[in-house]
Amino acid sequence: MPSAAIRRPRVALVAHGIHDDGGMQRAFAELLRRLHTQYEFVVFSSDLGPDLRELVQWRRVPVPQRPAPLRFALFYVLGAVRLATTKTDVVHTLGAIVPNAAHLASVHFCNAGFVETVGRLTPPTAPLARRMNTGLARALGLLAERWSYRRGRVGWLAPVSVGVARELEHHYAGLPVRVTPNGVDRERFRPDAGARVEVRRSLGIGDDEVVALFVGGDWHGKGLRLAIEGVAEASRQRPIRLVVVGRGDERHFRRLAAGLGVEELVTFVGERRDASRFYAAADVFVLPTLYETFSLAAHEAAASGLPIVAPRVHGIEELVGDDEAGTIVGRDAKRIGAALADLAASPETRRRLGAAARERSAAFTWDRSVEAVDSIYRSVVAA
């Protein structure tokens, strides 16, 4: 007689979106790709990458993408109802996004840590309407954390960096914490001479020009203003171009660049699915961000062989080390400009730091990331 099939443990995976666009969404996408044969995943999300849908059972939670506070509130309620009516062995959430008890919460952003670091709910330079929208969303997130991140509501907290682990241990003491770092695809993100030439020609950038790259959304929080001001400072000594990949208030930042006299040196290319080609076309990666937990963009830049210019924030400080893979700078235009000017003036320094950055990025793989989560799953199932 044929042996009975062994039942796979059933895992509820709860997230606003799971796909390859964005760090936290990518982490869950890689989890599904690597573990779907070992676990039966039931996904509760409003968005799921088309290539992932055949791997799982998808219980779609239909909510609008904007405004952010409404999206959060509706998902918090609708997602909770759908999750409560589904029987599973493991409940894994992407942060505190439903009120249900969970065995594991992956923490890719700590609202309490952000508020303590920044001193307020939103970046101070953002326009009023954006501050109101973001501030309300963050306040809701903070309340949700306080409800979920306590004994009896969550079994494990899984931050993506050592820095976030420290924040969780400070703000939500008494809970088990295990770091599950993100990974980076070093085959996709790598030096590529062909892409470098093609992208530069498409943008009208000369082979010998020095290019700084900025990648990300939330331009006010990620520090695009300081990146543009830093380029203006650096260009007093040596011209340096800035290429901006991502979606944001382009008109506002074009005006800023024009006011500083560097409009011709700043190029906006929008959100790109071929971002790896823009990393390959650059010489330096700059991210004067207010707060990070891991910064997948910085790790992709490092894998592409770019030196990093950024503040000492979570994830980046581990990646850059003691200025081994770039330059740690304060969030000040003059210091950022000085760092960019120094790198622009020395191809040898760029090569040395970029090679170290690529080498250090090898410590962050998606296999390692998924193995860390899987170890928690196995502990929960065994218990």
Side-chain angles (χ1 to χ4, degrees), residues 101-299:
H103 297 97
L104 165 65
S106 287
V107 184
H108 291 248
F109 189 94
C110 179
N111 287 283
F114 177 93
V115 172
E116 182 178 60
T117 300
V118 178
R120 54 196 303 162
L121 290 171
T122 63
T125 58
L128 177 60
R130 185 174 182 83
R131 292 203 306 271
M132 292 175 63
N133 182 67
T134 304
L136 179 54
R138 187 147 294 133
L140 291 173
L142 190 59
L143 290 172
E145 282 183 2
R146 290 172 178 169
W147 169 259
S148 294
Y149 295 169
R150 56 198 176 97
R151 287 193 176 277
R153 304 308 305 172
V154 66
W156 288 89
L157 293 178
V160 289
S161 66
V162 174
V164 180
R166 290 195 298 263
E167 288 182 343
L168 293 173
E169 288 165 351
H170 171 63
H171 292 284
Y172 305 107
L175 290 171
V177 174
R178 184 178 298 179
V179 177
T180 57
N182 281 343
V184 61
D185 185 344
R186 296 177 79 251
E187 288 299 312
R188 178 184 174 196
F189 296 95
R190 57 183 175 80
D192 185 336
R196 179 183 177 88
V197 171
E198 291 171 8
V199 170
R200 282 174 171 251
R201 287 179 180 172
S202 71
L203 297 178
I205 296 173
D207 293 342
D208 295 331
E209 290 186 83
V210 176
V211 174
L213 181 70
F214 175 100
V215 178
D218 183 19
W219 289 352
H220 295 280
K222 300 287 185 182
L224 180 55
R225 175 181 64 84
L226 284 170
I228 294 173
E229 291 174 349
V231 164
E233 288 286 339
S235 294
R236 293 177 182 176
Q237 303 177 47
R238 179 189 176 106
I240 182 169
R241 300 286 294 264
L242 178 66
V243 174
V244 180
V245 177
R247 184 174 59 189
D249 188 351
E250 188 173 318
R251 185 169 59 177
H252 172 84
F253 287 98
R254 280 189 182 278
R255 287 199 303 266
L256 172 64
L260 294 169
V262 293
E263 186 176 18
E264 298 301 316
L265 296 178
V266 181
T267 302
F268 296 86
V269 300
E271 205 164 22
R272 304 292 301 232
R273 291 193 173 272
D274 59 345
S276 60
R277 294 169 57 78
F278 289 86
Y279 286 109
D283 300 290
V284 181
F285 180 76
V286 58
L287 190 70
T289 179
L290 271 171
Y291 175 84
E292 294 291 324
T293 56
F294 180 83
S295 183
L296 185 58
H299 285 74

